[in-house]
Amino acid sequence: MPLSLFSPLPLLHSFSSTVATKATVPRIRATPSKFRFTVVKATPENNGSSDEDPAFNPFGFVTDNPSSRSAIQLPESPAEDGNVGQMLYRTEDKGREFGSTIKSGKLRWFVRETGSKESRRGTVVFLHGAPTQSFSFRTVMSQMSEAGFHCFAPDWIGFGFSDKPQPGYGFNYTEKEYHEAFDKLLEVLEVKSPFFLVVQGFLVGSYGLTWALKNQSKIEKLAILNTPLTVSSPVPGLFKQLRIPLFGEFTCQNAILAERFIEGGSPYVLKNEKADVYRLPYLSSGGPGFALLETAKKINFGDTLSQIANGFSSGSWDKPMLVAWGIADKYLPQSIAEEFEKQNPQNVKLRLIEGAGHLPQEDWPEKVVAALRGFF
């Protein structure tokens, strides 16, 4: 598989960089020949301390979250010296649970599906945000199908395992093109309206909400997880960096961009096998990075947030909405969800999820499933 012109090799010698989003993670000391890890196991006797660094307790933020338990355990044999070939070999078959490639027009989507058309409780479509992929919904959609729902979770064009066309050659990563491509995909998947829609995240996540505003009749109920919802919603530094000429081109080719963004908005670090999957598209080629770059450049944050805030307010939107919010989100404060609820209190139900950050479906999927089942 080809590597991009802007190779991420220099960044792989360290798990932090000037262009990567800062995350609360254990420190990794690298030598020219290998990585060395200091893993301190917490016991009642030592309370997570060590003789080498008694002031540092890497387990201080770990809870009984069953999805994140042992999240700081580090691999004994990481890919040495940031060897991209080794990392690709180790990860190329990971992260495709429940998924297959679906042709829709000239584009190929990677779509995860659980349950069946005969599922008694209806169809749920899950839409991820940037810079992640549908992999984040794997546990939620698996458990939702066990509860009787038919679930789809596509990777947006330009993300995950879906096509990543070069801008100007069939797809330009604009809001209109995303909406049109999604409409065609729903037809190919034979999703019958009205259906349940779940949306999370920035950029393409916001486009999922603006699509909903234009297709209210197709939606039975809408659930929103940690997505910018008001004009006061802050824009993370990553997306500001992507809009800076030249610097954006460099930033988008950071192979650990996605995993660092996830960890930067969460109280947890990703387990290695999860980080592998979020990293894989950016290691495989330069396409995902440039797709993210174009999407970040094309979006008008002010106009999009204004559409969302006004479109879902009282008098404009009358369908039931659930806002399930990870309160440990370091990008979007809880006040965003509360302000959104006040704009349409008759139709918005706010459910706060303790212990979860910007991606509650990744941080604590069990609580997300409980919220969705109770709402749908």
Side-chain angles (χ1 to χ4, degrees):
M1 287 172 279
L3 299 178
S4 65
L5 178 62
F6 294 88
S7 174
L9 282 171
L11 298 175
L12 295 174
H13 285 284
S14 170
F15 279 33
S16 62
S17 71
T18 57
V19 296
T21 303
K22 183 178 180 182
T24 304
V25 297
R27 294 297 144 208
I28 299 173
R29 299 192 300 279
T31 66
S33 60
K34 64 179 180 179
F35 288 104
R36 295 185 302 139
F37 301 90
T38 299
V39 180
V40 181
K41 294 186 177 180
T43 66
E45 290 74 20
N46 64 23
N47 193 31
S49 65
S50 72
D51 294 336
E52 182 174 338
D53 188 2
F56 175 55
N57 175 12
F59 288 84
F61 54 84
V62 175
T63 70
D64 285 334
N65 180 344
S67 297
S68 297
R69 189 180 297 124
S70 303
I72 9 205
Q73 292 182 1
L74 300 174
E76 295 180 359
S77 302
E80 301 231 348
D81 295 328
N83 187 307
V84 176
Q86 289 184 31
M87 297 178 78
L88 285 171
Y89 178 77
R90 187 184 72 192
T91 63
E92 61 183 352
D93 294 326
K94 289 186 177 181
R96 299 177 183 266
E97 292 92 334
F98 319 121
S100 61
T101 299
I102 304 294
K103 186 74 178 296
S104 175
K106 296 181 179 180
L107 299 171
R108 291 172 300 174
W109 293 69
F110 182 80
V111 181
R112 301 175 197 272
E113 179 181 8
T114 60
S116 67
K117 294 180 180 179
E118 290 73 33
S119 296
R120 66 186 185 281
R121 301 188 67 179
T123 299
V124 186
V125 177
F126 296 89
L127 297 179
H128 69 86
T132 64
Q133 52 177 286
S134 64
F135 177 72
S136 65
F137 286 112
R138 67 201 177 281
T139 303
V140 170
M141 62 189 302
S142 175
Q143 295 184 15
M144 289 294 286
S145 66
E146 293 173 359
F149 293 93
H150 184 205
C151 303
F152 291 105
D155 285 345
W156 282 107
I157 296 300
F159 295 84
F161 301 110
S162 288
D163 272 352
K164 304 160 188 71
Q166 183 177 346
Y169 291 85
F171 199 80
N172 285 314
Y173 301 95
T174 63
E175 178 183 24
K176 179 181 178 182
E177 288 173 307
Y178 273 118
H179 286 178
E180 292 174 349
F182 183 57
D183 279 326
K184 292 178 182 178
L185 177 65
L186 291 176
E187 293 178 9
V188 172
L189 295 177
E190 298 180 347
V191 175
K192 296 180 180 179
S193 300
F195 59 89
F196 302 119
L197 181 64
V198 180
V199 178
Q200 188 277 328
F202 290 94
L203 301 185
V204 284
S206 294
Y207 288 162
L209 290 182
T210 56
W211 179 90
L213 289 173
K214 297 175 182 178
N215 295 274
Q216 189 171 166
S217 63
K218 296 181 179 180
I219 297 172
E220 186 167 345
K221 293 183 178 181
L222 172 64
I224 304 172
L225 313 176
N226 292 69
T227 302
L229 298 173
T230 66
V231 292
S232 61
S233 299
V235 178
L238 169 63
F239 305 125
K240 294 178 181 178
Q241 292 172 359
L242 289 169
R243 295 161 73 93
I244 300 174
L246 296 181
F247 188 64
E249 278 74 3
F250 175 68
T251 299
C252 77
Q253 294 305 304
N254 180 356
I256 59 174
L257 176 153
E259 65 194 84
R260 278 294 178 259
F261 183 82
I262 294 170
E263 291 174 342
S266 168
Y268 312 105
V269 294
L270 291 168
K271 292 183 179 180
N272 192 65
E273 60 268 22
K274 296 179 183 178
D276 282 345
V277 178
Y278 289 112
R279 184 188 307 138
L280 178 58
Y282 296 92
L283 279 173
S284 301
S285 76
F290 287 119
L292 175 63
L293 178 71
E294 287 298 313
T295 304
K297 285 183 174 181
K298 298 289 176 60
I299 191 171
N300 183 320
F301 285 108
D303 179 67
T304 301
L305 293 177
S306 180
Q307 283 187 59
I308 292 171
N310 296 328
F312 289 107
S313 62
S314 296
S316 299
W317 181 272
D318 59 5
K319 297 293 181 72
M321 284 187 290
L322 169 70
V323 177
W325 202 264
I327 61 176
D329 190 339
K330 299 177 184 179
Y331 299 127
L332 297 170
Q334 179 179 325
S335 59
I336 299 295
E338 294 171 341
E339 181 182 347
F340 184 76
E341 180 188 28
K342 291 178 182 178
Q343 294 174 349
N344 194 343
Q346 295 82 13
N347 294 300
V348 176
K349 177 182 179 182
L350 177 59
R351 175 82 174 265
L352 301 179
I353 303 180
E354 295 185 5
H358 182 62
L359 263 75
Q361 71 270 29
E362 182 69 79
D363 288 343
W364 215 311
E366 297 83 2
K367 290 186 177 182
V368 172
V369 170
L372 294 178
R373 289 184 61 180
F375 176 62
F376 290 153

